[in-house]
Amino acid sequence: MHYVSTRGTAPVLNFEETMLAGLARDGGLYVPQSWPVLSFETIASFAGKSYEQVAQAVIAPYLAETYDAATLERLIRDAYAHFEHPARAPLIQIGNNEWVMELHRGGTLAFKDFAMKLIGQMFEETLTRRGERVTIIGATSGDTGSAAIEAFRGLDAVDVFILFPHGRVSEVQRRQMTTPADANVHALAIEGSFDDCQALVKAMFNDHAFRDAQKLAAVNSINWARVLAQVVYYFTAAVSLGAPHRKVSFSVPTGNFGDIFAGWVAKQMGLPIDRLIIATNENDILHRCLSTGEYAVSGVKRTSAPSMDIQVSSNFERALFDAYGRDASAIRGLMESLKQSGAFTLSETALATLREDFDSARVSEDEVSHTIRDVHHAAHYLLDTHSAIGVHAARQRRASGELDPSVPMICLGCAHAAKFPDAVAAATGIRPALPPALADLLEREERMQVLPNDLAALQSHISGKTES
Ligand SMILES: *Cc1c(COP(=O)(O)O)cnc(C)c1O
């Protein structure tokens, strides 16, 4: 399989090059040249198979020239070996024909582990084979950084440096980054905001001498390999509720559009998905876009679901590329307009195409809290704030009468309630406990470097660590 940029002018790459590159050189995102389709019989054969076996069948068509079957099997096995549940992504029924897919059974209690763990294994395999090392650098407001550290800790071919705003992440999130003792892991508390951290990362990538000397790499949410890993659980969930013999729908708490785009990919591959619901919090740019055709950036609001406090949804560009019939010049036009004026307007055809697959709903802070309380009351199940947004959006869309009630609704359970204990306690009166593997997290020794918001100081710190 080869990969092309949504903006049409970057070189065509194979899987391995796409994974290592992250963003395309023309500013676009890489997508496969075509969508592989699995036959009805192949999808039906997933019934009763393990998560790992399904992953192999779903992922292989995208990278067969990079990893042979035995290698891929080992990478997948090692990626998910330490997940807490044998099903990896188990389903819990919380209502009438309504389910939560728990994606928080990996090491850091959020769905990002599914993608990071696999990409960690793939990086290690590829770099070892090439005799190379890289320095992974990322900025985080919480979940992405801990998932990257958990995935890359202890690997030989990678150093990982994660920048986070000093004093502005939750204690659980901070400790997940500062307690791994592995020598290749570096948690950097920057005296600044998340935006400052992102700006520092960007500046390091733009400093080409530093970038080349350190062999910088990024594993942010636009990396195709991360999206690909997330396609798998749409198949396992749908098949366990009767696909491909019946349709299912998904409701997906959405920030950067990575997770829901993986669902759309599953549909292109032949999985019978009826609706994909884009569930947003009060940062509702995508809901407004689906409702009006106008994609217009406004200020970011802080909510109780911080991993969705995003204005520009990077991966949406991938959906737009197909909605515009893969016309890269149209995408360049939209992105230019976004840069110039903070907005673009979808063509009628593109909007109609998106609406064939996607529904959307916006969920307010009050509704998040009420949903956590209601689900706890009715089903004795504790949702985190992000997952509650998916459940509420699903209920709102179903109440409209526009969705077929006989189609099972699967709401993505994005994080464990214990990751956002204050909001959950405020809604239910119950303070969720950390799962056993993390029960002593608050007692573990922390290790982090506090650094000023200063590029030169940061670069010399990183160079010092990678030379030793
Ligand atoms: C990252 C994240 C999201 C948003 O996912 P996208 O792929 O960016 O749309 C939602 N909830 C949680 C808990 C997350 O960590």
Side-chain angles (χ1 to χ4, degrees), residues 233-413:
Y233 46 69
Y234 287 90
F235 277 93
T236 57
V239 167
S240 64
L241 293 181
H245 308 283
R246 76 198 286 206
K247 287 186 173 186
V248 299
S249 290
F250 291 93
S251 181
V252 188
T254 296
N256 229 341
F257 209 78
D259 211 4
I260 193 160
F261 185 70
W264 183 88
V265 172
K267 189 170 180 177
Q268 306 317 299
M269 294 179 73
L271 191 65
I273 296 178
D274 186 21
R275 308 303 297 159
L276 284 162
I277 300 173
I278 301 168
T280 77
N281 63 15
E282 292 180 2
N283 296 292
D284 61 350
I285 185 167
L286 289 166
H287 173 57
R288 283 185 283 119
C289 181
L290 263 278
S291 309
T292 67
E294 175 85 4
Y295 185 93
V297 177
S298 57
V300 180
K301 268 194 199 168
R302 269 178 175 244
T303 74
S304 60
S307 298
M308 296 163 63
D309 291 347
I310 284 174
Q311 270 300 319
V312 177
S313 245
S314 318
N315 279 296
F316 192 46
E317 185 169 334
R318 290 189 158 113
L320 292 173
F321 186 56
D322 274 71
Y324 275 86
R326 301 210 142 198
D327 175 357
S329 73
I331 301 302
R332 287 200 298 275
L334 297 178
M335 295 304 145
E336 194 51 38
S337 161
L338 185 64
K339 201 163 130 192
Q340 302 277 328
S341 63
F344 57 74
T345 306
L346 295 181
S347 73
E348 273 179 36
T349 320
L351 183 58
T353 305
L354 288 169
R355 284 178 176 162
E356 283 170 21
D357 295 322
F358 296 105
D359 266 63
S360 69
R362 168 196 197 269
V363 181
S364 72
E365 286 290 276
D366 279 348
E367 288 166 334
V368 172
S369 181
H370 292 159
T371 304
I372 294 174
R373 190 194 60 204
D374 292 348
V375 169
H376 179 248
H377 186 76
H380 307 287
Y381 187 77
L382 281 181
L383 293 168
D384 93 291
T385 47
H386 304 74
S387 311
I389 290 167
V391 171
H392 190 275
R395 290 180 174 183
Q396 192 178 317
R397 291 302 302 135
R398 279 184 148 180
S400 75
E402 292 165 35
L403 270 56
D404 179 349
S406 75
V407 174
M409 177 63 71
I410 302 166
C411 306
L412 271 59

